[in-house]
């Protein structure tokens, strides 16, 4: 299979490389996005994408802590 490495693909490749470098230098990992295929992933138990889709509100946590 031949892939045409044209200006569009070159620009896309440069943009992805730039974004990857930026993530690496920031020291932060992007939040996982839950997809149906996550259930079959070997990293599912480490990633836990379902739990990070809608982070808990601090007010709910505080209410649980003080018992109200």
């Amino acid at each position: 299979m031949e892939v045409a490495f044209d200006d569009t693909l070159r620009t896309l490749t440069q943009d992805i490389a730039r974004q990857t470098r930026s993530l690496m230098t920031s020291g932060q990992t992007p939040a996982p996005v839950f997809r149906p295929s996550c259930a079959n992933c070997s990293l599912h138990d480490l990633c836990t994408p379902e739990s990070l889709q809608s982070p808990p509100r601090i007010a709910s946590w505080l209410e649980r802590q003080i018992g109200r």
Side-chain angles (χ1 to χ4, degrees):
M1 173 191 265
E2 188 173 317
V3 176
F5 203 70
D6 58 9
D7 288 339
T8 303
L9 183 55
R10 188 178 311 277
T11 300
L12 176 63
T13 303
Q14 290 170 339
D15 288 346
I16 291 171
R18 193 174 301 113
Q19 291 172 19
T20 302
R21 272 191 226 104
S22 177
L23 280 172
M24 290 175 69
T25 58
S26 76
Q28 295 188 359
T29 304
V33 176
F34 178 71
R35 295 189 174 109
S37 59
C38 290
N40 297 322
C41 178
S42 63
L43 299 176
H44 180 268
D45 292 341
L46 296 172
C47 178
T48 62
E50 303 93 336
S51 66
L52 297 173
Q53 290 306 294
S54 53
R57 293 184 17 232
I58 189 67
S60 300
W61 176 85
L62 185 57
E63 286 174 12
R64 286 191 310 275
Q65 299 305 311
I66 60 175
R68 291 188 181 195

